[in-house]
Amino acid sequence: MQASFSPVFGVMKFESEPLSFDNWQRLAWLGIDWLQDAGGFAMVGLSLWLLTTFLNPVYDLLPNGKKRNRLITPLMVLGATVASCIYLIALAAVYLSADDNPTTPRVTVLGLAFTRWGMVLQFSLAAAGLAAIVGFGGPFLRDCFNMRWRRIYALAKLSFKEAVRRRVVWVFLSILILYLFPARWFFQEKPEDEIKSIVGVTTRGMNVLLVSVGMLLAAFSIPTDIKNLTIHTIVTKPVERFEIVLGRFLGYLGLVTAALLVMTGLGLILINAGNVSSEAEDESMKARVAKYGRMEFGKLGANRQLVSSDEFKGVDIGREDTYRKYIAGHPTSPHRAVWNFPSLPTRFEQSDSVPLEFAFDIYRTTKGEEGTGVQVTFEVVTQSWNPGKKIDDSLSPGSEISMQDAYDRDAKGLTNVTPGSPNWVKVNALAERYGRYVYQNWQIFDYHTSRIAVPGGLFRNASTLPESASSTQGPGGSSRRVQVRVKCETPSQFVGVARYDLYFVESEGNFSLNYFKGAVGVWFRLVIAISIAITLSTYFAGVLSFLIAMCLFVLGFFLEFIREFASGANIGGGPLESLARLIKNSNATADLDITPTVRALQMFDGVSRWIWRRVTTVIPDVDRYGLTDYVAQGFSIGPEFLLMNFLTLVAYVLPWLVAAYYLMKVREIAA
Amino acid sequence: MSATAVAEQPRTHSTTGSDFIVETRNLTKTYKDFWGRKKKTALNALDLQIKRGEIFGLLGPNGSGKTTTIKLLLGLLFPSNGEATVFGKPAADVRKNERIGYLPEESYLYRFLNAEETLDFYGRLFEMSREQREKKSAELIELVGLKEDRKRTLREYSKGMRQRIGLAQALINDPEFVILDEPTSGLDPMGTIWMKDLIRQLRDQGKTVLMCSHRLDDVQDVCDRIAILFNGDLQELGDVDKLVEDAARVEVRATNVRLTPELKQELEAVITRHGGALESFGHPTTTLEDLFKKVVEESKARPGRRYLPTTGK
Ligand SMILES: Nc1ncnc2c1ncn2[C@@H]1O[C@H](COP(=O)(O)OP(=O)(O)OP(=O)(O)O)[C@@H](O)[C@H]1O
Ligand SMILES: [Mg+2]
């Protein structure tokens, strides 16, 4: 999940669906993508390697007197041959899929629909990638078994010692400048945002400082070793070339990790010891584990039944940012923002109350009364709630009463009761009986996280219902066990909502621990920075390595934009097709006659677009690792989430390290 | 400075078929620039064999390709043509380095480390245990005479001191094959003598030594066989004694006789009778090396200044 904190609106945004182990189809596709990407690069690497080592062979003399080029293994040749063949199949698929049109029948694979040839294309690219990876990664893997920790450790320790003796550590002290001055001196903000600012400023400071120092050290280490000839004494020991890369990598990573730990500790002390306002503590000194639902908009129809409606999908109020949709306020408004929770933790059933948190945006069309906010009503129901259903009247046995009337009668005097008050027991019982809980007219003043308590009885009610029943109900047919409906009561005001604006708090974690977990995100970025820099430095000089690494890293923050640019959602086709149009003087939307030439041009464009998209994967997705936003907002960072991010990190870093392995191996140290 | 510390039992290693430690065939190195254009052919079709247990000298003027040859053997450079094997393995194989000690032309060591840390670091690269490293590094520091200075960083070392720690580093793994590029450069005459002694001791322990130098006296003193390179081409190869032996001349030395004209006449008569001719007649000069050795030894025995300048009072 990518989160960003928009200073303009002061609201938290979660941009994309979180990666999770639950959604295995998506993960499978990510794996296939990775095979295509990494495999493409492996193929390029493999071809270059075979070419250069064929031209500059190093021979082993075999016992039978024959010579063998020791730089080329049979596995490499095999991998390259198989991959090339499958790439040809892929090319054929590109050609054949040119006939595809929207009516071509689709097949669904792992949750995605493809035309037949489209599917062949996807899987042949992945298979070719796999073959290339096996060929290219084979020698790497084999040499990994020759590596010895003692040597790598010695080299890592050397790097660490060198940095310390060169007094690099002093640079880290400059972070204290950020720590010593309270953030509120720089930012005029609401008091509750104080921790957000401190966390934001300190982690940004740590990021900049640690990433640039780590990158500098890594970029200059091997080139300096080569320049000072100190590397001669090392490679003439039984040291695998890649051990030098790994030793340097681990040494510098160790150094910046130590610095990161100290800085994080200091930051935590600063937040705990510094006199942070109590509003800020309430807002952010938490580590909530949030249970999110799926959001949609609904309309209360006849019989007070909620139906999904095609004409109401939330209002666009004309803000440039379309992240949130709005519902207009009126006491009789039928419009609802609806969150469905298909599954909920069983511990909710055992609780007396479960916190429901929310942070909505407000859009005022009139100034409104001074001192009153916009009022919002929450209705939490299970699917046993059916307002029109006739049930036995408990007060006058034998007669029937509608569920709605029974509820209204029983709920008298129990409006907006809070846990701890004597009536909470009754509220709990009521919720358990009817599967409904209402909180009326909560006042929202500004974008701000608030919470109400939902009685545990409601979840006990939900748990009694069979699973199968739960999957059919709800507007839009989406499954739910529990549904939260939000209604805006104040006329001519709007409330802006998005999926991640409302959630049940599953549990409260420890803020300090979470703060350290947030630092793991910084650490992921450091791993990226150092591995890129070190890989480049096995080929380029220090300055150049540093500059390129820095560029790539910074480009990572614009990755979204670059991807869009590279995927070329441009009318009129790719560069060659456009050229053809230019020559033929046809306009951009008209269909070109599919002559063989045009088809070849389109094919070329398709292939080049594919290649460009792979090229953009060289840029690290650094945004993904901005975990401290969660900390700042008081959300717990789950272990599964960290693991997921770690896997994406490995998937990104591994190809770089393989590149470093080869570059270092062919490097003629003394030339 | 004593070289006895290295006197260990010669170790026997399994030989790999032939008894040649190094074999090169048609070994050629052409330095090229980034675009693959030829810059310089530093070594041209070298065929060489180095036998187990000998001291082999590579000789030649500056820029003749000595260092290039050594770097090719160590895999620091890749041959443009031909091949080189060390212990029967290709030069590019790093495993062979376990049995090799290398002293570079200059001591390319980390200047922020001190002598002990340096040896500890290189010991680790050979996967030596802590005890092994400690024992070996104490031994070698003693051997190269840096005991007093072992805690100083290499940054503060003089050229000769760096050469010494460089040698210690080359011997850390008790190598079977020692490659020394200009081992005596930067050393004072006593150091040179000590180094030459050490090289001979290494051979006596059964190790093989390849050294290169352009100091002919050094080479002549210690090497069993030499190769002379000039401009990348092998000019001469063979046993030192055979190569320098001047079969056309005879030298006679005698003690306890006075240098009189009669002696000269009689000698000349004998030589002419045998069909030769007397070329020179006189006292042999001792070498400066001998003088230097004598002076240093005497000043060790009786410290203090001895030479008093005879300038006016
Ligand atoms: N990296 C290099 N790039 C280009 N030319 C080189 C390189 N290294 C050495 N040379 C050239 O190769 C030739 C041989 O050099 P080499 O260092 O082997 O000589 P050497 O015999 O060791 O000389 P010296 O006695 O000065 O140490 C020289 O002409 C030198 O200029
Ligand atoms: Mg040289």
Side-chain angles (χ1 to χ4, degrees), chain B residues 23-267:
Chain B
E23 271 189 279
T24 73
R25 245 153 299 166
N26 192 28
L27 188 64
T28 304
K29 180 66 197 177
T30 306
Y31 288 103
K32 292 186 181 132
D33 69 3
F34 178 79
W35 306 108
R37 285 178 306 205
K38 183 178 152 178
K39 277 201 288 194
K40 163 97 195 162
T41 298
L43 194 64
N44 194 10
L46 178 71
D47 289 306
L48 199 68
Q49 278 139 1
I50 298 177
K51 292 179 215 146
R52 180 177 297 278
E54 70 177 350
I55 302 178
F56 192 93
L58 269 178
L59 222 62
N62 290 136
S64 55
K66 305 183 293 292
T67 301
T68 302
T69 309
I70 286 177
K71 285 177 175 169
L72 284 165
L73 293 181
L74 286 163
L76 285 167
L77 293 173
F78 304 143
S80 314
N81 207 347
E83 54 265 350
T85 58
V86 181
F87 294 115
K89 297 204 180 93
D93 192 331
V94 294
R95 296 282 122 240
K96 72 178 196 310
N97 292 348
E98 270 158 19
R99 300 151 77 181
I100 294 180
Y102 169 51
L103 172 68
E105 199 161 6
E106 284 157 43
S107 286
Y108 310 133
L109 303 172
Y110 290 99
R111 304 202 159 196
F112 57 89
L113 296 177
N114 65 35
E116 270 182 350
E117 289 167 328
T118 302
L119 294 185
D120 187 71
F121 170 64
Y122 290 109
R124 275 176 200 271
L125 296 186
F126 283 102
E127 295 187 81
M128 292 163 68
S129 70
R130 173 187 293 273
E131 301 81 64
Q132 278 176 313
R133 293 197 306 269
E134 274 167 7
K135 179 164 166 281
K136 196 74 197 171
S137 93
E139 208 176 286
L140 287 169
I141 284 171
E142 176 86 46
L143 170 74
V144 299
L146 287 174
K147 204 164 178 197
E148 315 280 87
D149 303 301
R150 66 184 190 282
K151 297 277 184 205
R152 294 169 68 196
T153 57
L154 266 50
R155 191 178 286 120
E156 301 170 18
Y157 274 23
S158 73
K159 172 90 171 54
M161 288 161 89
R162 282 209 282 273
Q163 192 75 358
R164 285 160 191 267
I165 188 68
L167 180 74
Q169 156 290 124
L171 297 178
I172 188 90
N173 58 329
D174 209 351
E176 265 175 86
F177 179 35
V178 187
I179 299 178
L180 308 167
D181 198 343
E182 316 254 349
T184 54
S185 88
L187 292 180
D188 57 31
M190 287 312 289
T192 309
I193 293 161
W194 161 80
M195 177 68 86
K196 288 194 281 193
D197 266 357
L198 191 84
I199 294 171
R200 278 186 224 107
Q201 280 188 34
L202 290 173
R203 177 200 39 208
D204 295 344
Q205 290 164 32
K207 300 182 196 305
T208 313
V209 179
L210 165 64
M211 60 177 279
C212 77
S213 179
H214 38 223
R215 291 188 36 190
L216 307 177
D217 47 345
D218 291 353
V219 174
Q220 186 171 0
D221 283 356
V222 296
C223 290
D224 301 323
R225 284 202 314 143
I226 55 166
I228 300 177
L229 289 172
F230 183 79
N231 206 8
D233 290 312
L234 183 62
Q235 306 290 343
E236 201 64 83
L237 175 73
D239 289 351
V240 179
D241 298 340
K242 296 243 173 63
L243 286 176
V244 296
E245 189 185 76
D246 189 351
R249 286 186 170 74
V250 176
E251 194 177 84
V252 179
R253 290 192 187 207
T255 50
N256 288 336
V257 315
R258 301 225 12 223
L259 204 60
T260 55
E262 297 83 61
L263 181 63
K264 186 181 177 184
Q265 267 176 14
E266 279 175 40
L267 273 174

Side-chain angles (χ1 to χ4, degrees), chain A residues 45-106:
Chain A
L46 197 53
S47 314
L48 284 175
W49 178 266
L50 290 177
L51 195 72
T52 50
T53 53
F54 181 72
L55 295 176
N56 307 294
V58 173
Y59 288 114
D60 274 355
L61 295 173
L62 298 177
N64 59 12
K66 284 198 181 144
K67 295 198 287 189
R68 186 187 59 192
N69 190 348
R70 71 179 342 235
L71 297 174
I72 298 176
T73 65
L75 188 67
M76 284 180 138
V77 181
L78 186 71
T81 319
V82 172
S84 312
C85 293
I86 309 179
Y87 274 123
L88 282 179
I89 297 178
L91 203 63
V94 173
Y95 184 80
L96 292 166
S97 64
D99 287 334
D100 290 348
N101 53 48
T103 60
T104 315
R106 312 268 146 163

Side-chain angles (χ1 to χ4, degrees), chain A residues 5-24:
Chain A
F5 185 71
S6 152
V8 185
F9 301 112
V11 290
M12 179 80 175
K13 297 204 299 189
F14 291 92
E15 260 127 29
S16 58
E17 194 70 3
L19 285 179
S20 104
F21 290 106
D22 300 337
N23 195 348
W24 64 272

